[in-house]
Every structure is written in structure tokens, then in C-alpha cells.
Amino acid sequence: MAKRTWSMIISSAMIIGAGTGGVFWIHQHSADQLQDGPRLAVVAAKETQSAVVTTASKEPEKKTRKQIIEESQKKVVTIESSSGLGSGFLYNDQGDIVTNAHVVEGSKEVTVRTLNHEEYKGTVIGIGEETDVAVVRVPDLKKVKPLSIAKSKAETGDEILALGSPLGLENTVTTGIISGVGRSFEIAPYIYSNLYQISAPITHGNSGGPLISAETGEVLGINSAVVEQEGGIGFSIPMTSVLKQVQAWSQNPSVGATVKTAGDTHSGSTSASLEAEGLVTDFYMSLNLSDYVTAYALLGSDWQSGTTYAKFREGYINTSYVTIGDISSTTNGNKEMEVTAVITADERRDGEYVTTKYKVTYQVGYENGQLKILHGQGKKMK
């Protein structure tokens, strides 16, 4: 409930970059959570190494902040698309650049400009519909050493660097800390889940740029949104929550596929389909706010009769969050809608976080004039 109260305090927010000059209202939504909960997470293994030496042992030289900035800037780019200007960064050695979906929406081809002002053509090979993340492939940047991606989540108080091209001012670096975690809201059509709140100043053009650890130089997140209130509050999408999707696009590029344009919703969706998909999304949003009462109320009577509220809550108490990927719906012929979604979920188990992907299917229909989730099941994906 604390998260919901916090969201209500903020009056307006915007996604930053690619010409999105408007201000969007933050909806009192958060993001997703799984039923029968996923029980996995990213686990950082600890190794202990000891050695007997006759002279003083040498530790790896720690990079200075200036060195981290100089090395990082070489892997950060400015992106020009039909939507305007944004930022991005190399994340693998195939010339693939991570950015925000709203930076490249409406474009199949974009122009990418590097630190030394060299320009290349890039192709959008993956773009989220509800998750504000996209991947652009630039063949000319293949084999260029990418930025390292952090394997664990950042914590409040961690020192960070925000790189990008705010207002077109390329190669800009701002500094700050992680000032909050677990922030979630919606800026249609995107759902932002468990974001990092940052004190480093960001604005238009920073979208898609990396949030980097000032200590290690690893990418912690993707700078994506800012609240224009009280001097501005920035938000960044954690890389741990989207890395698997990004890697999937790189392994199976959707070159030539229809690119989502601004304002698009689910292709061919009817009003009933959107309502059904929205109900499932609201279900996960409520869980993400730890509002188990609201989530339980969205279930149909048959489901509730077989699962008590206490048992329902117990099934989700250790779930950190779930990110909804693709979601679609069809009519099953019984005046009900079948909603299918691919979700990536983090859950705490035995003191550790594990991440896994599920395909979930829900039957949605009306009971006493109200739309309810009647039945559901999930299957772990390989």
C-alpha cells in the first residue's frame, strides 16, 4: 500500500526522448505478478579463492570514475528516428543496441551516431508493445566491445552515472544515486515495473541511454522516464528485468516485421479483447502493489471457492515482480475470452532471487455483470 500512496503523490510524468514532448498522467497501476508463482531468480555465485605467495599479492587495479566514463561513452550512441532523438548502448558484440521502444516506434530503420560522430544505419530487430524496450542492430558495429551488464540488482544508495544525449547534447554524463527502488506506473501504452528512481538529472534525449554503476562500470538499467515536478525525478528500467527479452530478439531478429507506431494497441483487438487483456494486466498490477485483496476480488466465484484468500496470498507473498511480455486474446465461443501472455517473473526462494519465464492462459468472462478471471494456468517455458 505504500507504493500506491507514493504513486498518488506524483501528478505527472513523461517518457523522455524521441520527441515525446507531452506530459502523461501516471495511472495508479504497477506491473505484473504470476499466479502459482514463479520461483526462480538471478543468483550471484560467490567463490572464495586463496593463494599462498611469497610476495605481496596484487589486486586488480580499480578503474577511476573518469576512466569508467571515458570507456562507457565509446559504447553509447545517439539514435535518430522518425520520432526524434534518443540514446542507446551496445550490449553485445553483434552490433546490437538497447534503447527504449518509444525512441524507435514507427521506424524500421534508424540512424545511429557514435562518440566520434560516425553515422551508421540500424535496423529495429525487436520492440516491446507494453515494455518500453527495443533492440537496434548495426552491422557496422559488430565486434565492437560492448558495455558489461550487471548480473544483480542495484540498491538504494548505490552511486550511478546516467549517459545519453539530453536535448540533443551528445555524450552528456550526469551523476547521482539510486534514490528509490520498486517504483511502478503506466504511461500508455507502456507499463513500467519495479523501476529504479534516480537522482541523476535526465530529460528529453536521455531515453534509452544506460544507467551505469559508478563503481564497476556495469549497466544497471535503461533511462526511460522523468517526472517534471520538484526539479524532476528520473526513472530507469532494471536490466535484470528485460535482459532475457533483449537476448531473445538478438537470437531471433524480427527484421521486416511490422513496427509498432505511436498510439498502436493490439492489432485487430476488439473492445472486448482489450477489456479482457486489461483485466489480466490489472490482476498483476495489484499483486505488484501487494494489494492481494484487489487481486483476489478479480477472480471468479469458482476459482475463489477452490482457493481461500489466505492460500491465495501465501502463493504470492515471496514474488518480487513479473513483467508481462506479449499478450493476446481470442474468443472461445462461450462468450468468454481466452487471454494468453508470456511473462518473466522474479521470486524469492531460500533467500535468493531466481528469474524464469512462463506462458499463462486465462479464461475471462462476466459474472453478475462484472468481468472476472474465471480460470487460469501457467506453464514454464524453456
Side-chain angles (χ1 to χ4, degrees):
M1 298 303 292
K3 292 184 179 178
R4 173 167 293 181
T5 303
W6 179 88
S7 295
M8 295 174 65
I9 295 174
I10 303 177
S11 61
S12 62
M14 63 179 179
I15 48 181
I16 49 174
T20 53
V23 176
F24 302 81
W25 291 101
I26 287 183
H27 301 289
Q28 193 175 316
H29 288 307
S30 203
D32 338 297
Q33 215 69 279
L34 204 220
Q35 166 143 23
D36 277 71
R39 314 244 170 211
L40 311 171
V42 179
V43 181
K46 296 183 179 179
E47 296 182 353
T48 304
Q49 182 181 28
S50 60
V52 178
V53 293
T54 55
T55 58
S57 60
K58 295 183 179 180
E59 295 183 357
E61 183 179 351
K62 185 177 181 180
K63 294 179 181 179
T64 66
R65 181 167 299 187
K66 184 177 181 181
Q67 288 175 321
I68 289 175
I69 291 173
E70 290 178 346
E71 292 181 9
S72 299
Q73 284 180 318
K74 297 175 183 177
K75 291 77 177 275
V76 178
V77 300
T78 299
I79 298 176
E80 291 185 22
S81 71
S82 59
S83 297
L85 287 176
S87 305
F89 59 92
L90 281 164
Y91 95 98
N92 66 14
D93 61 2
Q94 300 301 306
D96 292 347
I97 293 170
V98 174
T99 186
N100 283 132
H102 76 263
V103 169
V104 297
E105 61 186 4
S107 300
K108 292 183 179 180
E109 303 290 331
V110 298
T111 298
V112 172
R113 189 162 50 251
T114 63
L115 175 66
N116 56 6
H117 300 290
E118 292 180 344
E119 292 190 355
Y120 303 101
K121 293 298 181 182
T123 302
V124 178
I125 64 170
I127 185 169
E129 291 187 354
E130 294 181 339
T131 303
D132 193 7
V133 177
V135 175
V136 175
R137 175 159 291 176
V138 183
D140 290 312
L141 296 180
K142 188 175 182 179
K143 301 303 181 183
V144 175
K145 186 177 180 180
L147 287 172
S148 297
I149 308 299
K151 294 181 175 61
S152 58
K153 297 178 182 178
E155 298 178 349
T156 302
D158 288 352
E159 295 186 355
I160 49 89
L161 307 168
L163 280 67
S165 303
L167 303 177
L169 300 173
E170 300 178 9
N171 311 318
T172 296
V173 181
T174 55
T175 63
I177 63 170
I178 300 289
S179 51
V181 296
R183 309 309 194 195
S184 301
F185 51 80
E186 179 180 349
I187 303 175
Y190 304 110
I191 297 171
Y192 297 87
S193 309
N194 286 272
L195 304 181
Y196 296 137
Q197 178 184 329
I198 62 175
S199 65
I202 56 176
T203 188
H204 298 290
N206 272 118
S207 276
L211 183 73
I212 292 176
S213 167
E215 298 295 324
T216 67
E218 295 177 321
V219 178
L220 299 171
I222 309 164
N223 300 319
S224 304
V226 65
V227 175
E228 288 192 326
Q229 181 175 325
E230 301 296 334
I233 302 174
F235 298 93
S236 183
I237 300 173
M239 280 300 294
T240 53
S241 67
V242 297
L243 183 57
K244 286 189 176 181
Q245 177 62 75
V246 167
Q247 292 171 332
W249 284 328
S250 292
Q251 293 170 4
N252 298 287
S254 301
V255 179
T258 302
V259 177
K260 183 178 70 66
T261 56
D264 277 355
T265 54
H266 305 285
S267 177
S269 291
T270 63
S271 176
S273 295
L274 292 176
E275 288 183 12
E277 293 166 21
L279 178 66
V280 172
T281 300
D282 287 344
F283 173 76
Y284 285 119
M285 288 178 177
S286 297
L287 292 174
N288 218 40
L289 286 169
S290 298
D291 187 357
Y292 306 110
V293 172
T294 296
Y296 187 72
L298 298 178
L299 304 182
S301 57
D302 285 348
W303 196 335
Q304 289 185 351
S305 65
T307 306
T308 64
Y309 170 74
K311 184 177 179 181
F312 173 82
R313 181 179 182 276
E314 183 181 354
Y316 290 100
I317 198 70
N318 290 318
T319 304
S320 173
Y321 66 91
V322 173
T323 301
I324 294 183
D326 296 330
I327 185 169
S328 60
S329 56
T330 57
T331 303
N332 64 11
N334 297 321
K335 294 184 179 181
E336 296 177 1
M337 299 296 297
E338 182 173 279
V339 179
T340 302
V342 175
I343 63 176
T344 303
D346 282 6
E347 196 169 84
R348 189 175 182 84
R349 178 185 287 182
D350 297 328
E352 299 176 337
Y353 280 101
V354 183
T355 301
T356 192
K357 183 176 288 187
Y358 287 81
K359 181 177 181 179
V360 294
T361 303
Y362 293 102
Q363 302 300 321
V364 176
Y366 282 93
E367 280 191 356
N368 300 320
Q370 292 187 323
L371 198 62
K372 298 285 186 177
I373 301 176
L374 307 178
H375 305 284
Q377 60 183 0
K379 183 178 180 180
K380 182 179 178 181
M381 299 179 67
K382 295 182 179 179

